[in-house]
């Protein structure tokens, strides 16, 4: 029996629905209707996609009686920062275990982590194995003192967290219907996979399998990870949907979290034509990658494409565009 996603335990944290509208200037220039879903405007900190995931993840943490939330990431992790913001609101302590590589000073998200009162712990490593080992060590210390810890893996990309993006598609289904458009393609950045997985599930549930494209900003095998996460997320709500078409294309330049100078013109163009900020780690790469694919004919005869803006602006205050 399929449970309704609406009945699934969730703590409201963001201001939803986020805006959905057509990018008029870009659409004229590109000769296609390009729509945007503004999850960068979700009302927590500087916005971003992790809030929808955290609505489910922190509901689970609360239900289990946890008072401390651990998560992991790079030094400039948007996910860690938003976990700090959301945990603080719920009266929970956030411990952020971050990879030391790439720390270039107390900038960007690290400033916000402090404002939200998180405990930031750096591990001098490049490997998440070390980060998770340190997390386990710190969590067992806190448990010995009587705390109850909840561990959220990098990016919050578990099946539970992915439900947040099925919820996002549910909103877009209503918003696109109200605007009288049929969406032909959904595009987002793929960093740890949960967002794209949720979009794929949501598309099957609410948009008759509108094709989903993930633009990879890291080089993990998302072709496998994303459908696997989508099916496990579906199982949580007792659904067995036929997932619609899904493709991955990669556009990370010289590597994850390294700004790609080739993308700068697209970032500046969107800022100057629509007043929208993209970031150099995720959305700038995904947006520039999407435009490149559009020019190559990837979207065929698609008339309406929606780009899901997943946030990330704090990185603009931590690194140069390149
Ligand atoms: C985390 C993140 C993404 C990627 O989402 P995943 O669910 O990890 O694939 C995209 N954009 C921004 C700004 C992010 O912080």
């Amino acid at each position: 029996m399929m449970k309704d996603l609406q009945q699934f335990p969730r703590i409201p944290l963001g201001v939803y629905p986020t805006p959905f509208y057509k990018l008029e200037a870009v659409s004229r220039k590109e000769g296609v209707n390009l729509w945007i879903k503004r999850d960068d405007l979700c009302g927590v900190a500087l916005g971003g996609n992790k809030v929808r995931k955290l609505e489910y993840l922190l509901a689970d943490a609360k239900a289990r009686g946890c008072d401390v939330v651990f998560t992991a990431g790079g030094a400039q992790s948007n996910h860690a920062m938003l976990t700090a913001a959301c945990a603080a609101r719920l009266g929970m302590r956030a411990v952020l275990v971050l990879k030391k590589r790439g720390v270039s000073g107390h900038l960007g998200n690290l400033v916000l982590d402090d404002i939200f009162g998180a405990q930031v712990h750096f591990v001098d490593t490049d490997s998440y194995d070390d980060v998770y080992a340190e997390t386990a060590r710190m969590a067992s210390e806190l448990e010995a003192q009587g705390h109850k810890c909840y561990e959220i893996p990098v990016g919050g990309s578990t099946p539970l967290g992915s439900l947040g993006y099925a919820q996002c598609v549910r909103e877009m289904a209503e918003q696109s219907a109200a605007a009288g458009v049929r969406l032909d393609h959904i595009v987002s950045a793929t960093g740890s996979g949960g967002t794209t997985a949720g979009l794929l599930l949501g598309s099957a549930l609410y948009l008759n399998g509108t094709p989903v494209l993930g633009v990879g900003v890291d080089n993990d095998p998302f072709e496998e990870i994303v459908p696997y996460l989508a099916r496990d997320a579906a199982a949580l709500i007792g659904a067995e949907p036929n997932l619609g078409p899904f493709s991955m294309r990669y556009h990370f330049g010289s590597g994850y979290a390294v700004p790609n100078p080739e993308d700068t013109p697209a970032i500046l163009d969107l800022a100057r034509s629509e007043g929208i900020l993209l970031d150099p780690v995720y959305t700038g790469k995904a947006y520039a990658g999407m435009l490149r694919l559009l020019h190559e004919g990837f979207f065929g005869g698609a008339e309406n494409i929606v780009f899901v803006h997943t946030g990330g602006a704090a990185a603009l205050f931590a690194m140069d565009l390149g």
Side-chain angles (χ1 to χ4, degrees), residues 177-299:
V181 288
R182 198 202 62 217
L183 295 175
D184 299 312
H185 228 111
I186 303 173
V187 183
S188 78
T190 309
S192 60
T195 300
T196 309
L199 293 172
L200 186 59
L201 171 59
S203 161
L205 295 176
Y206 307 117
L207 279 177
N208 299 315
T210 297
V212 172
L213 166 69
V215 182
V217 300
D218 201 349
N219 61 357
D220 288 327
F222 293 113
E223 293 83 354
E224 294 153 41
I225 295 168
V226 166
Y228 164 86
L229 270 175
R231 284 195 196 91
D232 281 6
L236 290 175
I237 53 168
E240 283 182 38
N242 290 320
L243 299 179
F246 159 62
S247 27
M248 274 308 303
R249 291 291 183 277
Y250 292 82
H251 186 77
F252 47 76
S254 38
Y256 172 70
V258 182
N260 187 11
E262 278 171 43
D263 299 339
T264 301
I267 293 174
L268 299 183
D269 184 66
L270 192 69
R272 294 171 191 180
S273 62
E274 307 273 359
I276 295 172
L277 294 173
L278 298 170
D279 77 282
V281 178
Y282 294 98
T283 54
K285 287 181 177 179
Y287 181 78
M290 174 185 71
L291 288 184
R292 183 202 275 185
L293 288 165
L294 178 68
H295 301 157
E296 289 170 3
F298 173 88
F299 296 102

Side-chain angles (χ1 to χ4, degrees), residues 19-36:
F20 167 90
Y21 60 92
K22 187 173 153 192
L23 297 171
E24 296 290 350
V26 179
S27 296
R28 267 196 305 278
K29 184 169 163 197
E30 300 293 343
V32 68
N33 297 324
L34 192 59
W35 298 75
I36 194 159

Side-chain angles (χ1 to χ4, degrees), residues 48-50 53 77-79 82 154-157 189-196 217 222 279 282-283 310-313:
N49 60 338
K50 303 312 180 313
K53 298 177 178 186
S77 168
N78 299 305
H79 165 69
L82 288 167
V154 65
S157 284
T190 309
S192 60
T195 300
T196 309
V217 300
F222 293 113
D279 77 282
Y282 294 98
T283 54
T310 46

